[in-house]
Amino acid sequence: MNRTFKYITTIIGAGAVLDFDYEYPNSIIPSTKNITNAIRELKVQDIDNKESDVISQVYNLVNNKFAYIYEKRGINKKYELNFEELYFLLESLLSYTETGVDYFSPSGCAPISILVCVCQELQRYYHVEYARALMHILKVIIDIIAQYDDHFRKNTDKENWYRIFWKGKENIRYDIFTFNYDTTIEQSIGDYEDGFELIANHKDKISAFQPQKLIQNQNNLSTIQHLHGCIYYAERPTESTTIYSCRDFFKMTSVNDALRYIGLQQNDQTQARESYINSPILVGLRKLDKMTYMPNSIYHANLVKALMKNRGLLVVGYSFGDLYVNQLMQRRLLMRGEDHRMVIIDCFPKYINSAIKLYRYMSDNKGQIVNFLRPFISFEFGDNLELTGIEFTSYDEPIYSTDHKCMLLICGFKKAVELHADLIQDFL
């Protein structure tokens, strides 16, 4: 018997797992700041088999330059480079640093590298040091993610609020687009569709991506799509045939199996012929360039379909830092017209107890979310300098747009689920 399910398009960011209990040995809370701190002082082998401080040198150099910009403007604020920005800079230097290779074709190097010179402070570092730095960073980040992902798998009695929410109600399914590299949602849901299918009789039990399997979703399951990769993905050129690129990703049965294949192939190039490592997790600021291959390319296309098809949009722990996603979500006003509902769940400071404090905090600290919300919420000040456009009750309660098509919860994902799970799902 066919049943009608309500599908909710869901965007998942790093903040979705920050409410987990990390009180176990050697755990690292996977916040942007903690990941940055874990990689910024890493050392790698230089060309003479000695230690290279290229990572910390780039980090400190850029932070100092940015601090000077603030100082000139009279802003008493310290800029701290995050791991995405640091990775992007090191990755750029991979293309702009002299390789010692004589190119036989102009297509072998980035055109802009002909015109741009590396700053004097970095000229003592070699191309290979940047490549080693990127590889080292990737493996450290994967280790941090794998640690809590594995703990979640082994401790099935923990984080029940999270597991129960994603398991959902009988009539609810999710089209989940996650920017996290872990598999905690897969573990919570159990039966889901991600487009991967086990290769028959494969000794390593590897799964290959089948686009039609995801798009058709014949079993009406929740779908899970890692737009920016997953710690279980790996390039497997030995599995590639005429229907797969050697750059497409396959799904492995363990993180260790996936790690074995990082860096075995020559570095890939963007459309601008800038070099990058085609890793299982997409790190840095060139994510759109890196979404060329499957499954990322199909996941990106399916995001548009889900935003257009489903009335409800749930956004959890997302920083609104990916411009291509922001633009697509804002265009729901064209896709759905007035028939849309959106819930955004984030964690703001507890001192926020009014609409004006909410707006000021977002403007000062989360400017990207304010810009994103403008098509949905009319932030205006009345004659008494009261903020209109939103209905604020309290820190723990839903905050609505005046047309009640958008809901904002600022008490964190765990508290929002514990207090309002049914309301969230019914609203969407």
Side-chain angles (χ1 to χ4, degrees):
M1 181 176 67
N2 292 328
R3 297 188 59 183
T4 301
F5 297 101
K6 178 170 74 172
Y7 276 83
I8 299 170
T9 306
T10 309
I11 304 294
I12 304 293
V17 298
L18 295 184
D19 283 336
F20 284 5
D21 178 9
Y22 291 95
E23 297 296 325
Y24 51 89
N26 303 316
S27 64
I28 297 177
I29 299 174
S31 66
T32 296
K33 184 174 183 178
N34 287 345
I35 293 175
T36 302
N37 289 338
I39 69 169
R40 69 182 191 182
E41 299 291 340
L42 292 176
K43 299 293 191 293
V44 296
Q45 185 180 2
D46 70 8
I47 198 167
D48 296 318
N49 293 325
K50 298 178 182 177
E51 270 195 347
S52 170
D53 64 348
V54 63
I55 296 174
S56 59
Q57 179 71 2
V58 171
Y59 179 83
N60 293 326
L61 180 63
V62 176
N63 268 338
N64 291 338
K65 295 283 187 182
F66 282 168
Y68 178 63
I69 293 173
Y70 276 146
E71 185 180 331
K72 285 196 304 182
R73 295 177 57 193
I75 299 175
N76 185 23
K77 185 177 180 181
K78 182 181 178 182
Y79 189 93
E80 293 187 6
L81 212 63
N82 64 52
F83 76 91
E84 300 271 20
E85 295 167 323
L86 177 57
Y87 190 92
F88 166 76
L89 292 169
L90 292 164
E91 192 174 55
S92 299
L93 289 161
L94 189 69
S95 297
Y96 303 150
T97 301
E98 178 60 48
T99 63
V101 175
D102 289 329
Y103 292 101
F104 293 97
S105 168
S107 63
C109 62
I112 196 171
S113 68
I114 306 300
L115 304 176
V116 173
C117 295
V118 175
C119 66
Q120 185 175 0
E121 295 94 328
L122 299 177
Q123 288 180 6
R124 64 187 173 94
Y125 298 103
Y126 291 85
H127 179 269
V128 67
E129 294 175 61
Y130 293 109
R132 289 169 179 167
L134 294 170
M135 290 291 295
H136 196 7
I137 288 172
L138 286 171
K139 289 179 179 179
V140 169
I141 294 175
I142 288 173
D143 184 62
I144 291 172
I145 305 303
Q147 185 184 55
Y148 78 79
D149 188 76
D150 190 51
H151 184 267
F152 188 90
R153 177 177 290 101
K154 292 177 178 177
N155 295 272
T156 55
D157 60 330
K158 303 293 185 181
E159 317 303 350
N160 285 327
W161 62 272
Y162 185 89
R163 299 175 192 272
I164 292 170
F165 182 79
W166 293 123
K167 199 74 174 176
K169 298 180 178 179
E170 284 295 321
N171 66 322
I172 288 179
R173 299 288 185 269
Y174 297 100
D175 283 321
I176 296 170
F177 299 85
T178 177
F179 302 113
N180 295 344
Y181 312 130
D182 63 66
T183 63
T184 56
I185 296 180
E186 286 95 322
Q187 296 176 51
S188 300
I189 293 177
D191 291 327
Y192 61 89
E193 182 59 75
D194 65 357
F196 281 96
E197 187 169 65
L198 195 66
I199 300 174
N201 302 317
H202 197 289
K203 63 182 180 65
D204 294 327
K205 298 182 179 180
I206 292 172
S207 297
F209 185 70
Q210 304 284 348
Q212 70 276 14
K213 188 171 184 288
L214 171 71
I215 302 300
Q216 294 172 3
N217 190 17
Q218 293 183 345
N219 293 322
N220 295 313
L221 302 174
S222 289
T223 65
I224 302 178
Q225 293 150 94
H226 287 272
L227 276 168
H228 294 169
C230 176
I231 56 176
Y232 282 84
Y233 292 174
E235 285 183 323
R236 283 277 299 194
T238 55
E239 307 299 331
S240 300
T241 64
T242 54
I243 61 173
Y244 289 102
S245 160
C246 64
R247 296 293 189 179
D248 290 331
F249 286 106
F250 293 78
K251 188 165 73 170
M252 317 301 284
T253 57
S254 75
V255 177
N256 286 335
D257 283 347
L259 284 171
R260 285 164 44 201
Y261 295 93
I262 298 182
L264 291 186
Q265 298 199 71
Q266 186 177 6
N267 292 340
D268 203 359
Q269 289 185 330
T270 68
Q271 190 78 34
R273 301 206 293 272
E274 295 170 319
S275 296
Y276 72 94
I277 296 170
N278 191 35
S279 74
I281 60 173
L282 307 191
V283 183
L285 305 182
R286 292 187 174 89
K287 292 191 174 71
L288 270 175
D289 287 314
K290 299 176 183 181
M291 293 174 66
T292 306
Y293 306 106
M294 293 197 306
N296 311 76
S297 57
I298 303 298
Y299 287 166
H300 185 197
N302 204 40
L303 172 60
V304 179
K305 177 183 175 184
L307 287 169
M308 186 174 294
K309 179 186 68 171
N310 304 332
R311 185 182 84 152
L313 172 62
L314 174 62
V315 183
V316 181
Y318 172 60
S319 66
F320 294 89
D322 292 288
L323 299 180
Y324 76 97
V325 180
N326 298 350
Q327 287 293 313
L328 288 175
M329 290 194 295
Q330 286 180 325
R331 300 293 81 76
R332 273 170 52 81
L333 293 174
L334 286 173
M335 299 174 186
R336 301 284 311 184
E338 293 297 306
D339 181 31
H340 77 91
R341 295 292 185 275
M342 178 170 65
V343 173
I344 298 175
I345 303 175
D346 207 332
C347 187
F348 289 6
K350 292 185 178 180
Y351 68 76
I352 296 175
N353 58 10
S354 67
I356 188 63
K357 286 186 178 180
L358 172 70
Y359 181 75
R360 284 175 177 168
Y361 174 78
M362 291 194 299
S363 298
D364 292 342
N365 301 281
K366 293 177 175 284
Q368 289 169 315
I369 190 173
V370 175
N371 291 331
F372 170 78
L373 286 172
R374 291 195 187 281
F376 303 99
I377 299 176
S378 299
F379 294 111
E380 296 180 359
F381 288 92
D383 295 336
N384 297 323
L385 296 182
E386 293 182 354
L387 182 67
T388 62
I390 58 175
E391 299 175 2
F392 189 99
T393 304
S394 71
Y395 178 82
D396 289 331
E397 294 301 311
I399 302 163
Y400 291 97
S401 60
T402 51
D403 62 5
H404 275 234
K405 297 184 185 300
C406 300
M407 179 197 299
L408 178 63
L409 287 157
I410 61 173
C411 55
F413 190 28
K414 183 178 181 180
K415 181 64 73 68
V417 166
E418 290 174 342
L419 295 177
H420 308 295
D422 289 340
L423 175 64
I424 292 166
Q425 292 168 332
D426 292 344
F427 180 83
L428 295 169

